[in-house]
Amino acid sequence: MAAYISPELREKIKSANDIVDVIGEYLRLKKVGSNYAALCPFHREKTPSFMVNPRLQIFHCFGCHKGGDVVTFIMEYENISFFEAIKRLAARAGIPLELNTSPESNRLREKREQLLDVHQKLTEYWHNILLKASEAEPAREYLRKRGIDSQVIRIFKLGYAPDRPDDTVRWGRANSIPLQLLEEAGVIIRRENTQEWYDRFRGRVIFPICNEQGWVIAFSGRVLTTDNAVAKYLNSPETLIFRKGRVFYGLDKARRAIMDAGFAIVCEGQIDLIRIHLAGFPNVVAPQGTAFTSEHAQILKRYTDTVVLCFDSDEAGQRAMVRALDALLAAELNVKVAVIPPPDDPDSFILAYGAAAFQKIVNNAMEFFDYYLNRLCSTNDIASDRGKRSVIQQMAEAVSKARSVTLVESIATKTAARLGLTPLSVYTDFMKIYKTMFTDKPSLDAEEPGQEAKTFNMPPREEMWLLQLLLHRPEVTNTVLSYLDISWINSVEARAIIEEIQRRIQLGVVIDAGSLLDCFEDESIRSVITAAGTEQPIFSDLKAFTKDLLRRLRVRHIEKQLVELRRIIVSDAVGEEERHNAFKRFQELQIEKREPFPPATFEIK
Ligand SMILES: [Zn+2]
């Protein structure tokens, strides 16, 4: 849903949400000089380089160069759109957003809110039953046996749905919740052609499923028995607020930990997840109710580049791991495998051998292709030619998904070593396989240069000082701009900002970093603005500092020209006339360079 937000409304919402208050709700802020500092939520660091400036209402990280205003922060931190961020900040400040939206989208939004509300209330209801009700004793006993105590029950808000056919229905009636709504939430089911309903979850331990923001959007219920006649897990059906292929169990608790740890552990189920979380890895998620999808991979990609798969040691678990590979490699994630020794799963392994043993397994996680080669070599008879061919075929297919030529070479070499063949022969086999695989598709891509993230450098020191002066000391702006020649500025970003400031002065508009930010969409420019806005030049005498800065910028510019002229003068490739002109200009510039600047009459006006 998109809607137009006028600049006035945007300003109003921004000014009603103080950036220090808002960011303070997410991060621990510490006052440092005129800024507040925190550990950056967008990159991994041990000492704070994330700064918030209350006067200019901006933030900037000197480690990863992310920066912006309060809206940018919410967008980046919550991974939401501009519009969603504005909506949240408006709600936070109690500003009504009178949006021109269709009745249909209003209806959907209302319905979503009602569904979230029902899930929230039901979570509390089932949670309290599990903690207190006598009929939940078998559930508590079951969880105790599985090593899940009341503290864990509280952290994950586990619940118990009583073993009665209509407990949820009765609860809905008692709380005046329309049964129609409970049906849409997927927690009760209507008997065909009647106005009678019965509960979906009966006699099950309930795991609330949350979205990334921590709102409960679905439930997963586990039976207490080991009776194979009933499904071990029962999940909410897809609803307006729950779509299976894109939800992770535990992501709301894992987001920050994934960024801190630099990798995400992916496991298979709720109990494994809880156990791994308790074993010291809060950076763990589990696909909810489906196999791993490409949407799952895209979600993880927002938080990390490395994924450690930690599935059951049984055949089904190992196969699921291999199936997840396509989506993971397509998202260009680096995939590792933490191998749980048979016959355990992560839960039983940690219970039997302890957290330290599990930590060792995670820390020694294998690169996926090494793991896969091991697996193929143990499931095929590699003494036979047939077995060797099968290993080569499957390795070649797996590596092709990574679409990297250097990887093909190194994996071919490793495969050859395991099979007792020469690297060249295996490499040739790989290439033959690719030839048939890609006959009518584009050929295997080489690693293209220029694919790496656009490198961006902050403007040179003097230019940053200049921007800091312009942003922090409005009293010198006019003076500085009257002496400054824009050609002295080397950085494209700094030049764009100064030109915008000049334009604003001509229009008589006040300059502040916040509204300056609104003029630029270019991320590099925005980063420079927020960097300059959160750093102050250090000086004791404003006039002397300004004067010296202007002199430095001018001299630097002259010296740059002198270097270029010297190159022309000594070059064999230029004609006599060009050399002569260059020399003349060289002499003029040397004289210019010695002239006092700014003149002795310099005053801050
Ligand atoms: Zn950062």
Side-chain angles (χ1 to χ4, degrees):
M1 181 173 62
Y4 174 71
I5 307 271
S6 70
E8 294 76 27
L9 183 57
R10 181 186 167 146
E11 261 327 296
K12 188 177 163 198
I13 292 167
K14 270 170 69 173
S15 56
N17 285 281
D18 184 82
I19 194 163
V20 177
D21 292 346
V22 172
I23 295 185
E25 287 166 13
Y26 293 89
L27 311 173
R28 189 188 299 260
L29 291 172
K30 197 171 161 252
K31 188 112 170 64
V32 180
S34 57
N35 289 323
Y36 288 84
L39 287 174
C40 178
F42 306 118
H43 84 281
R44 226 183 142 189
E45 62 177 7
K46 291 206 171 69
T47 51
S49 45
F50 179 91
M51 299 290 163
V52 184
N53 187 288
R55 193 173 67 79
L56 300 168
Q57 290 290 306
I58 53 175
F59 73 93
H60 182 85
C61 171
F62 289 91
C64 65
H65 299 304
K66 272 203 199 306
D69 58 19
V70 67
V71 185
T72 325
F73 178 82
I74 297 290
M75 287 167 67
E76 295 275 349
Y77 193 92
E78 299 283 4
N79 279 302
I80 55 178
S81 67
F82 168 76
F83 180 68
E84 284 295 324
I86 282 284
K87 231 169 66 178
R88 266 191 220 191
L89 289 170
R92 184 181 177 276
I95 297 171
L97 274 190
E98 276 165 32
L99 300 168
N100 192 14
T101 53
S102 68
E104 174 61 11
S105 65
N106 279 333
R107 195 190 64 79
L108 283 178
R109 190 173 56 225
E110 236 169 69
K111 181 66 79 186
R112 266 193 207 100
E113 273 160 24
Q114 288 170 350
L115 286 171
L116 287 174
D117 191 49
V118 160
H119 279 81
Q120 189 57 41
K121 286 179 174 149
L122 203 45
T123 301
E124 287 298 331
Y125 172 65
W126 282 335
H127 182 56
N128 282 323
I129 289 178
L130 179 59
L131 287 176
K132 294 169 199 153
S134 58
E135 66 182 319
E137 184 48 34
R140 287 193 290 269
E141 176 60 22
Y142 165 81
L143 290 172
R144 257 197 303 277
K145 271 198 203 134
R146 295 209 59 168
I148 292 176
D149 60 21
S150 65
Q151 196 202 340
V152 183
I153 290 173
R154 285 198 171 85
I155 295 174
F156 289 90
K157 275 268 174 196
L158 305 188
Y160 179 65
D163 197 6
R164 272 179 268 137
D166 60 350
D167 187 76
T168 313
V169 175
R170 281 163 188 271
W171 171 82
R173 286 212 178 94
N175 289 279
S176 315
I177 296 168
L179 296 185
Q180 178 67 37
L181 187 63
L182 288 179
E183 186 186 340
E184 286 173 57
V187 293
I188 62 173
I189 300 163
R190 189 199 295 251
R191 281 183 222 287
E192 234 175 299
N193 303 321
T194 69
Q195 285 295 315
E196 284 171 41
W197 285 269
Y198 61 96
D199 295 0
R200 178 181 297 274
F201 299 102
R202 298 186 301 265
R204 286 173 183 264
V205 171
I206 299 291
F207 298 83
I209 313 299
C210 297
N211 63 12
E212 283 172 69
Q213 280 75 47
W215 296 101
V216 179
I217 52 170
F219 298 104
S220 181
R222 195 194 192 288
V223 283
L224 306 180
T225 61
T226 46
D227 181 0
N228 282 332
V230 280
K232 204 157 90 173
Y233 282 98
L234 185 65
N235 294 317
S236 294
E238 298 210 333
T239 64
L240 192 58
I241 56 172
F242 175 53
R243 265 200 48 206
K244 278 178 189 165
R246 56 162 74 151
V247 174
F248 277 115
Y249 182 64
L251 183 57
D252 57 310
K253 293 182 181 60
R255 294 198 303 171
R256 181 63 209 228
I258 290 171
M259 289 193 281
D260 286 346
F263 66 96
I265 298 178
V266 176
C267 68
E268 284 185 289
Q270 284 107 11
I271 301 262
D272 281 341
L273 181 136
I274 290 173
R275 186 72 55 215
I276 292 172
H277 183 105
L278 296 175
F281 292 99
N283 51 320
V284 58
V285 293
Q288 178 55 46
T290 62
F292 196 93
T293 67
S294 55
E295 277 179 304
H296 283 129
Q298 289 302 334
I299 292 169
L300 288 182
K301 183 74 183 168
R302 298 209 303 254
Y303 300 103
T304 185
D305 289 322
T306 304
V307 168
V308 175
L309 300 176
C310 186
F311 285 22
D312 286 4
S313 60
D314 65 9
E315 187 55 29
Q318 298 298 294
R319 266 207 301 270
M321 198 140 69
V322 175
R323 275 202 307 271
L325 188 71
D326 287 27
L328 290 163
L329 290 180
E332 290 176 47
L333 284 156
N334 172 27
V335 187
K336 292 182 173 186
V337 178
V339 186
I340 304 292
D344 282 305
D345 54 36
D347 175 45
S348 63
F349 180 86
I350 293 167
L351 282 177
Y353 304 100
F358 179 74
Q359 281 161 12
K360 218 168 170 181
I361 288 185
V362 172
N363 294 335
N364 295 326
M366 301 170 82
E367 292 297 332
F368 178 83
F369 291 108
D370 292 338
Y371 153 81
Y372 194 50
L373 182 58
N374 277 351
R375 179 175 148 80
L376 290 177
C377 288
S378 65
T379 51
N380 286 280
D381 170 21
I382 55 170
S384 71
D385 279 353
R386 191 192 162 86
K388 283 182 178 133
R389 272 202 307 277
S390 165
V391 171
I392 290 172
Q393 176 76 33
Q394 292 181 71
M395 278 311 285
E397 282 171 12
V399 177
S400 74
K401 291 166 187 162
R403 303 183 77 75
S404 151
V405 165
T406 45
L407 195 62
V408 171
E409 281 176 19
S410 76
I411 301 297
T413 306
K414 282 180 184 172
T415 308
R418 285 296 290 273
L419 300 179
L421 301 168
T422 68
L424 184 63
S425 77
V426 174
Y427 186 76
T428 315
D429 285 345
F430 273 25
M431 286 303 149
K432 275 186 207 146
I433 292 164
Y434 293 146
K435 219 176 148 192
T436 56
M437 277 173 72
F438 296 110
T439 343
D440 46 9
K441 294 175 202 153
S443 64
L444 196 68
D445 291 335
E447 272 164 328
E448 286 164 27
Q451 290 281 36
E452 69 273 23
K454 185 181 138 205
T455 51
F456 150 70
N457 295 317
M458 276 287 157
R461 198 176 42 177
E462 290 84 4
E463 295 177 18
M464 283 306 284
W465 287 343
L466 179 68
L467 290 171
Q468 288 164 14
L469 265 191
L470 293 173
L471 288 176
H472 291 280
R473 304 302 292 254
E475 68 268 35
V476 299
T477 312
N478 279 318
T479 311
V480 166
L481 292 180
S482 68
Y483 284 101
L484 183 78
D485 183 332
I486 195 74
S487 67
W488 299 349
I489 305 300
N490 294 336
S491 145
V492 193
E493 288 84 10
R495 201 181 278 198
I497 296 163
I498 293 167
E499 280 169 347
E500 178 60 29
I501 292 176
Q502 277 174 329
R503 203 176 64 84
R504 285 176 172 235
I505 295 223
Q506 278 159 14
L507 294 171
V509 185
V510 184
I511 300 148
D512 69 274
S515 64
L516 210 48
L517 272 181
D518 293 342
C519 305
F520 296 104
E521 276 177 18
D522 183 291
E523 266 196 41
S524 311
I525 296 181
R526 292 172 63 90
S527 181
V528 172
I529 294 174
T530 53
T534 40
E535 248 186 346
Q536 295 243 23
I538 300 161
F539 54 80
S540 52
D541 179 339
L542 178 62
K543 183 181 158 187
F545 179 81
T546 310
K547 223 176 137 175
D548 184 55
L549 182 57
L550 286 166
R551 186 188 57 76
R552 277 175 189 243
L553 287 167
R554 176 174 173 274
V555 166
R556 198 187 61 169
H557 178 67
I558 294 175
E559 277 171 353
K560 198 173 122 194
Q561 288 172 283
L562 289 174
V563 168
E564 176 58 19
L565 289 167
R566 197 175 287 121
R567 198 188 57 77
I568 295 172
I569 294 163
V570 299
S571 166
D572 294 330
V574 298
E576 272 317 301
E577 198 184 343
E578 196 180 343
R579 193 189 315 277
H580 177 75
N581 288 339
F583 191 70
K584 216 172 105 192
R585 181 77 190 123
F586 187 83
Q587 287 181 311
E588 284 167 7
L589 276 177
Q590 280 196 310
I591 294 165
E592 257 181 56
K593 189 181 155 188
R594 285 194 295 269
E595 281 168 8
F597 183 90
T601 54
F602 177 85
E603 277 304 330
I604 289 172
K605 298 183 283 265

